[in-house]
Amino acid sequence: MAMETGLIFHPYMRPGRTARQTFEWGVQSAVHCDKIGFSSMMISEHASQIWENIPNPELIMAAAALQTSNIKFAPMAHILPHQHPAKLAMMVGWLSQILEGRYFMGIGAGAYPLASYIHGIKNGQDTAFLNEMVRESLFIMEKIWKREPFFYEGRFWSAGFPEEEPAQTEEDEQHLLANYAPYGGSFPEFAVTGFSYNSPSMKLAGERNFKPVSIFSGIDALKKHWETYSEANIKAGFTPDRQRHAVSQTVFCADTDAEAKRLVMEGPIGYCFERYLIPIWRRFGMMDGFAKDAGIDPLKADLEFLVDNVFVVGSPDTIVDKLNTLFAKCGGWGTLQVEAHDYYDDPSPWFNSLELLAKDVAPRIKLPEALVAA
């Protein structure tokens, strides 16, 4: 059972990029990934961060729908506390119909308190409160998709579905309610991301049999994510499947190790980490897991340390070795979700890297046989 490749598009566009440039880069990335055999593209919904400026990921998916054939799309994630669930349910249902089965739905509670504040939530740092909103939103959306009469007055939202009289005449048929249920009539597959060691998202994913997506934050956290998910999944009566597990990681492939490292250090990935991500990771303790894996002080973890010890960077053979080593340590996963970066000005090294990953690396990475059998 070979590993698949996917893209996760945050999109880490450097400040100063226009909305049009971000949009174009998203569509170009989708078209290229579809052409080279990527299985999925996840697109973040971030309303407040200047580096991550996509408030409406569904616009990129809709634009790419007519230019792609096989790749599946997901918002990763729609921030449920920020949107009315009835409106979101109809939009998601319609988009899944447009994509005709190439859609799954990432959901989240929101990681940025400023974005929550913009949407009228003053306590956006209270994850327990936000997760209550997530659960109520899911309840309402699933009720809407069932298209059965109800009216619900909840803690955060009210919504309903009207009772519809059967059409008696041809004129009546012209006024029936539009069907915004997801494509095929069934609910879309849900996916949730987790980053922290004790991620509540992994527990929710296991309880509801959602697709688990780990943002790589060290070996211990990755192992804990699968443990948390599996325990909750089994307790809820499901069978955990590692092939459904996706792991998001910074990956770059070139013909040689030296060339790959140079292109990362001197290119858009290095630019983003030096100016944006490394300071964030240090401030919020997100570097701790990586430093622990290497046995160093987190304050000494700089860009070169990340390239050499955390990112998956190198030639195809080197990346195969690195991923097989990771699989041996944590048990493996089904999809490597490659973190996208801003190669808008010169896509060629980035697109070459993605093609090497899809065609030369992924087919050589397989889940351990014992785990496949289990």
Side-chain angles (χ1 to χ4, degrees):
M1 194 174 293
M3 183 188 73
E4 296 181 352
T5 46
L7 192 72
I8 187 163
F9 192 78
H10 289 307
Y12 296 142
M13 301 293 282
R14 65 184 64 192
R17 291 294 191 199
T18 66
R20 176 63 178 260
Q21 288 173 325
T22 299
F23 180 78
E24 286 178 344
W25 182 231
V27 176
Q28 289 173 24
S29 298
V31 171
H32 183 76
C33 285
D34 182 63
K35 182 175 71 174
I36 63 175
F38 269 47
S39 62
S40 60
M41 180 176 178
M42 301 174 175
I43 306 173
S44 293
E45 176 184 287
H46 290 150
S48 63
Q49 302 303 107
I50 194 171
W51 275 88
E52 304 175 51
N53 55 338
I54 298 184
N56 300 97
E58 65 274 9
L59 298 183
I60 293 176
M61 295 180 218
L66 299 180
Q67 302 182 54
T68 57
S69 302
N70 299 303
I71 192 168
K72 292 186 176 181
F73 293 95
M76 207 66 214
H78 277 316
I79 309 304
L80 299 192
H82 297 176
Q83 305 190 50
H84 194 287
K87 176 66 175 177
L88 186 60
M90 289 191 293
M91 186 273 288
V92 164
W94 195 54
L95 184 56
S96 76
Q97 291 179 25
I98 291 170
L99 284 161
E100 297 183 328
R102 292 190 292 124
Y103 179 90
F104 61 106
M105 185 176 179
I107 59 171
Y112 298 112
L114 292 179
S116 291
Y117 192 90
I118 290 170
H119 290 87
I121 303 169
K122 291 184 177 180
N123 56 334
Q125 72 287 344
D126 186 342
T127 56
F129 176 82
L130 293 176
N131 275 288
E132 286 183 44
M133 298 187 75
V134 166
R135 290 176 185 273
E136 184 172 293
S137 177
L138 275 173
F139 173 80
I140 292 172
M141 285 194 292
E142 290 173 341
K143 293 280 284 184
I144 293 286
W145 288 330
K146 287 180 180 178
R147 297 176 54 78
E148 297 172 355
F150 80 97
F151 194 85
Y152 174 79
E153 296 184 46
R155 179 181 175 188
F156 306 107
W157 299 281
S158 295
F161 195 87
E163 186 166 359
E164 189 173 28
E165 294 292 333
Q168 301 294 328
T169 68
E170 185 176 339
E171 182 180 351
D172 291 343
E173 292 177 355
Q174 313 309 310
H175 301 283
L176 294 174
L177 292 171
N179 186 351
Y180 293 123
Y183 181 75
S186 59
F187 297 166
E189 180 177 36
F190 286 99
V192 292
T193 58
F195 181 89
S196 62
Y197 181 81
N198 290 306
S199 171
S201 298
M202 291 296 104
K203 186 173 186 293
L204 173 65
E207 291 172 351
R208 298 295 303 273
N209 201 31
F210 293 164
K211 178 182 178 70
V213 182
S214 296
I215 307 299
F216 185 73
S217 58
I219 297 296
D220 286 350
L222 192 57
K223 290 164 67 175
K224 182 65 173 178
H225 283 188
W226 183 253
E227 177 185 315
T228 301
Y229 172 81
S230 297
E231 288 179 358
N233 201 236
I234 292 169
K235 188 175 181 180
F238 301 104
T239 301
D241 179 3
R242 282 188 180 270
Q243 195 65 29
R244 294 182 69 203
H245 190 195
V247 174
S248 171
Q249 173 65 300
T250 300
V251 188
F252 192 89
C253 190
D255 292 336
T256 68
D257 293 350
E259 180 71 355
K261 181 174 180 177
R262 183 187 68 79
L263 288 170
V264 170
M265 295 284 293
E266 299 176 5
I269 296 176
Y271 184 92
C272 173
F273 272 89
E274 291 276 31
R275 288 159 179 77
Y276 179 54
L277 290 176
I278 288 177
I280 284 179
W281 287 8
R282 284 181 176 154
R283 190 195 318 172
F284 293 104
M286 296 160 67
M287 198 73 81
D288 295 353
F290 305 134
K292 179 182 177 182
D293 287 346
I296 68 166
D297 184 335
L299 293 177
K300 295 181 179 179
D302 58 9
L303 176 62
E304 188 164 18
F305 164 80
L306 293 175
V307 173
D308 291 340
N309 299 279
V310 178
F311 302 163
V312 183
V313 174
S315 67
D317 287 344
T318 295
I319 289 183
V320 167
D321 289 342
K322 288 183 175 182
L323 289 175
N324 279 329
T325 299
L326 275 172
F327 270 42
K329 290 180 178 179
C330 72
W333 58 78
T335 304
L336 177 64
Q337 217 75 38
V338 180
E339 299 265 1
H341 282 271
D342 181 5
Y343 284 82
Y344 179 84
D345 293 328
D346 180 13
S348 55
W350 178 243
F351 284 171
N352 180 62
S353 171
L354 297 182
E355 188 160 1
L356 288 172
L357 291 171
K359 295 182 177 180
D360 197 3
V361 172
R364 293 193 275 162
I365 309 296
K366 294 180 172 61
L367 283 170
E369 289 299 323
L371 293 172
V372 173

